[in-house]
Amino acid sequence: MSDETKREKFVRLAENRVNSVLKGIELLGNLSNSSNYDFNKDDLDKIIKTLKAAVSDLEKNYNGTEKSKKFKL
C-alpha cells in the first residue's frame, strides 16, 4: 500500500492531467498554420465553443455530476 495521501494523489494527478491538456491545446494551436491546413471561421468558432463548454463543465463537475462529451467537426 502507498502512503500517499488523498491530497498528494490529487496534486500528482491534477498536475499531470492539466499539463496533458495544456500540451493538447498547444498542439491544437499548431493547426492555425493556414499554409499547412485548410480551416474556416466556423471550424475555429466550433473548436473554441467546445473548449469553453468543456471548461464550464469542469467547473460544474466540482459542484455536481456533469458528464464529458466528445468533439466532432
Side-chain angles (χ1 to χ4, degrees), residues 2-68:
S2 173
D3 290 333
E4 185 177 47
T5 66
K6 286 183 175 183
R7 174 67 185 163
E8 291 167 336
K9 183 176 181 179
F10 173 82
V11 169
R12 176 178 54 83
L13 292 174
E15 287 176 349
N16 288 338
R17 292 175 186 183
V18 169
N19 286 324
S20 293
V21 169
L22 292 174
K23 180 63 176 173
I25 291 171
E26 178 184 338
L27 292 172
L28 186 56
N30 291 344
L31 295 175
S32 67
N33 185 340
S34 59
S35 63
N36 291 329
Y37 305 103
D38 182 24
F39 60 92
N40 59 45
K41 184 173 179 342
D42 290 337
D43 294 333
L44 177 61
D45 290 345
K46 189 170 184 178
I47 291 168
I48 298 299
K49 181 180 177 182
T50 300
L51 292 173
K52 286 180 178 181
V55 170
S56 178
D57 289 348
L58 172 65
E59 291 175 326
K60 291 175 187 174
N61 273 340
Y62 281 93
N63 296 317
T65 57
E66 191 74 24
K67 296 295 177 189
S68 64

